[in-house]
Amino acid sequence: MEESLSWLKQFAVPVSKLASWIAAGAMVFGGVVPYIPQYRDIKRTQNAEGFSIYVCLVLLVANILRIFFWFGRYFEPPLLLQSIIMIITMLVMLKLCTAVRMANELTTRRRAFSDFDLQYFWLWSRFIDYVQCVLAFTAVAAYITYLLIDSSLFVETLGFFAVFTEAMLGTPQLYRNYENKSTVGMSITMVLMWASGDTFKTAYFILNQAPFQFWICGLLQVCVDITILFQAYYYDRYPQKPSSHTIPSTSTKAL
């Protein structure tokens, strides 16, 4: 009996490690999976109209701030690596979308980050302008973090703002559905992918005792996903009279 228990314990250890590695890998790369078919579709059609590059802006800001939060309060390495991978992914998406948009744009006028024209913020003509903006933001954030790194209030606020920004990524879609009283044009499959991914992510935060900002905002993100799914069910079962200013629904979070 003792030999059997000993064998089970020896077997359970590598299985537990393997499960931990798989969970960490899913945590690192799971967030970028929805963007792979999006990238391929834009590449194939040479049309980026359905993609909101402001999603890239939100995710870049959120993940850059999350990396600086790590310097003030250590958390799981997979979460840090996840932010690095997501930043790279968003830059790749921006590069493709900028090239496609400029190839299809009729105007010859070029807009640059150095123009400092707020009217065209994040609507520049070259990928290098987005890189300059990201580097400028990173430099400012790094400087402020360096000055205030010893302040626990600043560090905790930084962490909360980083994950809260990402948690709110689905709210534009939620509001757009409400305004249109319809979810026509929204991919239910994509929303299900968000919900399953966000649920896994939140469970990972809780089980690995990540800073409270992570799992609180993770729960908020899951609630937003569930509300969007409820909208899809409700508007499909009880069609509403569309408003006069209804616009096509596009997926904000997955785009």
Side-chain angles (χ1 to χ4, degrees):
M1 185 66 177
E2 291 181 0
E3 292 181 359
S4 298
L5 290 174
S6 177
W7 182 84
L8 285 174
K9 288 180 180 179
Q10 292 178 356
F11 177 75
V13 171
V15 170
S16 176
K17 287 184 177 180
L18 178 61
S20 178
W21 291 339
I22 292 174
M27 193 67 216
V28 171
F29 297 102
V32 305
V33 170
Y35 298 96
I36 296 175
Q38 201 79 49
Y39 180 92
R40 294 177 62 183
D41 186 57
I42 295 173
K43 186 86 170 177
R44 178 179 57 84
T45 62
Q46 289 297 296
N47 186 344
E49 289 183 3
F51 182 82
S52 174
I53 58 175
Y54 289 103
V55 171
C56 298
L57 173 62
V58 171
L59 287 175
L60 284 168
V61 169
N63 285 281
I64 289 170
L65 293 181
R66 186 197 286 188
I67 291 174
F68 288 126
F69 177 51
W70 182 83
F71 288 99
R73 183 174 178 185
Y74 174 82
F75 50 79
E76 286 285 311
L79 300 181
L80 178 64
L81 186 56
Q82 179 199 41
S83 290
I84 296 172
I85 296 296
M86 184 60 76
I87 289 171
I88 295 172
T89 302
M90 290 301 101
L91 289 175
V92 170
M93 291 296 294
L94 272 175
K95 189 175 190 303
L96 174 64
C97 290
T98 303
V100 170
R101 190 177 75 247
M102 293 312 300
N104 297 330
E105 202 170 74
L106 298 178
T107 179
T108 58
R109 181 183 178 186
R110 293 294 180 262
R111 299 180 288 271
F113 169 67
S114 57
D115 295 337
F116 299 110
D117 187 346
L118 292 179
Q119 183 180 355
Y120 295 104
F121 176 78
W122 210 250
L123 294 172
W124 302 305
S125 303
R126 301 175 304 165
F127 173 64
I128 190 63
D129 292 299
Y130 294 96
V131 174
Q132 290 173 357
C133 180
V134 170
L135 290 177
F137 173 78
T138 302
V140 172
Y143 181 68
I144 295 174
T145 302
Y146 174 76
L147 293 177
L148 302 175
I149 195 66
D150 294 328
S151 169
S152 59
L153 176 62
F154 169 78
V155 171
E156 297 300 334
T157 302
L158 178 66
F160 181 80
F161 185 74
V163 292
F164 182 77
T165 301
E166 185 175 355
M168 290 291 97
L169 198 56
T171 53
Q173 183 68 54
L174 182 70
Y175 181 72
R176 179 174 292 177
N177 294 343
Y178 173 76
E179 283 285 289
N180 294 342
K181 300 295 187 287
S182 171
T183 56
V184 174
M186 185 186 73
S187 171
I188 302 299
T189 303
M190 290 301 300
V191 180
L192 289 171
M193 288 177 65
W194 304 341
S196 58
D198 292 337
T199 300
F200 170 81
K201 180 171 64 177
T202 304
Y204 184 91
F205 292 157
I206 295 173
L207 293 174
N208 287 274
Q209 298 180 334
F212 75 94
Q213 293 96 332
F214 283 82
W215 58 265
I216 288 177
C217 290
L219 289 172
L220 178 60
Q221 207 164 357
V222 172
C223 290
V224 171
D225 296 338
I226 293 174
T227 304
I228 293 175
L229 287 172
F230 174 76
Q231 284 181 320
Y233 165 79
Y234 182 82
Y235 291 137
D236 179 65
R237 191 177 181 91
Y238 306 102
Q240 309 290 305
K241 183 179 179 180
S243 60
S244 60
H245 59 277
T246 296
I247 55 176
S249 174
T250 55
S251 173
T252 301
K253 189 173 179 184
L255 297 180

